[in-house]
Amino acid sequence: LSSATDDSLDGSSTRSAGRVKVRQYGKTCKELTGMFMTQELAAHSGSVWCINFSLDGRYLASAGEDRVIHVWEVSEGERKGELLGEGAVSKESGGGGSPFVAVAGNGSPEVAMLPLNSADKGFVEKKRRPRVQSSRKSVGSDHLVVPECVFGFRDKPFCSLLGHAADVLDLSWSKSQYLLSSSMDKTVRLWDITSSTCLKTFSHTDYVTCIQFNPVDDNFFISGSLDEKVRIWNVHDRKIEDWNDLHEMVTAACYSPDGQVAMVGSHKGSCHLFDTTEKKLLYKSQIDLRIRKKKSGQKKITGFQFAPGSSLEVLITSADSRIRVVNGDELVHKFKGVPQY
């Protein structure tokens, strides 16, 4: 971001704010019309498998196929004016007005002018001359919600961490800004980003697909592996505190915000709940997501996200392009995503 990065750094990122065209699918109006690509970083050579913000939002770690972990410093700045096109020709001076209304962070609407390039003009013309007039079209579908501030990243990484011998698959931050990384080299590494050094290595017998620090006690973390086992590790003693064999390849693992529950997902689409109150894996129950796919690869659980402050409500993503909302053992809702080809 031009207003949030050091211009003395080499220009390896895209800083211009470009509007991205949004189209609705299966709905009568657009719920999201104002999408802008504000920055693109040339970060890695090869696929990026994981990105993760630090808990205080100051850093973003990214890693993947090239085995390097980059830590990017987040910088916040005022960007509202640029996104809204301040300085554009107004109606009073004879210019054409934008059909968009900006809603500021405080919720008050502001009439805004957006700079239109040729692609934008075509899009606006389509909006002005719709093929089919619909009385159900929401007036609010053309509103832009613009934040007071936006964030970006420095062009160069804060640090780069080298040491893994194969693809990095997952990342996790502690409250004290230590970073865990798991890899296809069958290890988990603990990093100090201030010195860019690896402090400890935790060996496994197969690819380590998922890791997470205990959100309450940084001295413990959970790991899942293709060896079909989920483990709780003691960081200080570098030993396994407890483990459980799921008899299925583990592809996702996550603590609840209070650290009292762990949810573990498998390649076959099953989700298991464990009580971790005593830093042990005590089996509680299994959630049936009813993933009706013939290929086992499409059933794979890919990630979890608990609702803030809740040990019951959780989002579950899977390889069948669905996001499921679960409350306890009950499936509450299911969202359909873009299909894989």
Side-chain angles (χ1 to χ4, degrees):
L1 298 174
S2 58
S3 60
T5 55
D6 186 351
D7 291 332
S8 65
L9 299 174
D10 58 30
S12 59
S13 68
T14 301
R15 292 195 181 99
S16 59
R19 181 159 167 262
V20 179
K21 185 183 293 187
V22 178
R23 283 174 278 184
Q24 73 240 46
Y25 177 77
K27 296 183 179 180
T28 57
C29 65
K30 295 185 179 71
E31 295 178 350
L32 178 68
T33 60
M35 180 179 288
F36 294 84
M37 197 284 287
T38 57
Q39 187 179 20
E40 181 178 350
L41 294 168
H44 295 272
S45 58
S47 301
V48 179
W49 299 133
C50 47
I51 55 174
N52 203 321
F53 278 102
S54 61
L55 300 182
D56 62 2
R58 291 178 55 199
Y59 300 100
L60 176 76
S62 63
E65 191 177 3
D66 63 5
R67 311 173 185 181
V68 181
I69 303 167
H70 290 310
V71 177
W72 308 88
E73 188 175 7
V74 178
S75 184
E76 188 177 12
E78 178 66 42
R79 189 63 182 281
K80 178 182 171 185
E82 186 174 339
L83 288 177
L84 294 181
E86 288 181 357
V89 181
S90 64
K91 286 183 178 180
E92 288 77 11
S93 59
S98 167
F100 297 97
V101 174
V103 180
N106 58 10
S108 60
E110 299 176 359
V111 178
M113 299 292 295
L114 286 176
L116 301 177
N117 55 30
S118 58
D120 287 328
K121 288 178 181 177
F123 177 69
V124 173
E125 287 301 317
K126 289 180 182 179
K127 296 286 291 184
R128 289 174 178 169
R129 295 194 300 271
R131 293 180 180 178
V132 180
Q133 295 291 337
S134 174
S135 60
R136 294 181 299 172
K137 187 179 189 305
S138 170
V139 176
S141 66
D142 283 344
H143 288 192
L144 291 179
V145 178
V146 181
E148 293 292 341
C149 296
V150 295
F151 68 86
F153 305 100
R154 303 288 182 182
D155 286 343
K156 290 183 178 179
F158 173 80
C159 67
S160 297
L161 309 174
L162 306 174
H164 280 296
D167 299 30
V168 179
L169 300 179
D170 200 10
L171 299 162
S172 178
W173 290 90
S174 73
K175 293 180 292 184
S176 50
Q177 300 289 40
Y178 289 101
L179 181 65
L180 277 177
S181 60
S182 69
S183 171
M184 290 170 61
D185 65 8
K186 306 178 184 179
T187 67
V188 173
R189 290 176 178 261
L190 176 67
W191 303 91
D192 180 359
I193 66 170
T194 58
S195 60
S196 301
T197 56
C198 177
L199 302 177
K200 294 186 179 182
T201 301
F202 306 85
S203 297
H204 293 63
T205 59
D206 209 329
Y207 297 173
V208 189
T209 56
C210 47
I211 47 173
Q212 190 192 16
F213 271 110
N214 185 307
V216 177
D217 190 343
D218 284 353
N219 190 45
F220 298 91
F221 73 87
I222 192 170
S223 71
S225 172
L226 294 189
D227 65 5
E228 304 184 347
K229 295 179 178 64
V230 58
R231 299 170 173 89
I232 290 181
W233 292 83
N234 184 310
V235 176
H236 182 267
D237 298 332
R238 199 164 58 180
K239 71 174 185 178
I240 299 172
E241 201 74 22
D242 196 16
W243 62 276
N244 191 290
D245 192 341
L246 267 65
H247 304 290
E248 299 176 12
M249 291 186 290
V250 179
T251 54
C254 180
Y255 278 109
S256 61
D258 59 7
Q260 304 296 300
V261 174
M263 182 171 281
V264 181
S266 78
H267 185 267
K268 293 184 179 180
S270 60
C271 292
H272 305 269
L273 283 172
F274 292 87
D275 185 335
T276 56
T277 305
E278 302 297 328
K279 307 301 186 294
K280 304 293 183 181
L281 288 163
L282 304 177
Y283 193 84
K284 292 183 63 176
S285 62
Q286 179 174 341
I287 300 175
D288 181 17
L289 297 181
R290 300 187 294 276
I291 303 178
R292 298 180 178 89
K293 293 291 180 181
K294 293 181 179 179
K295 297 180 180 179
S296 60
Q298 293 179 325
K299 297 181 179 181
K300 179 176 69 174
I301 304 300
T302 57
F304 300 114
Q305 180 63 60
F306 277 90
S310 173
S311 60
L312 295 175
E313 297 175 294
V314 61
L315 291 174
I316 303 175
T317 59
S318 51
D320 63 347
S321 300
R322 303 291 189 275
I323 299 175
R324 292 169 174 82
V325 182
V326 172
N327 191 328
D329 297 335
E330 180 186 359
L331 178 63
V332 177
H333 203 79
K334 182 168 62 175
F335 298 94
K336 181 179 179 180
V338 179
Q340 294 180 335
Y341 297 99

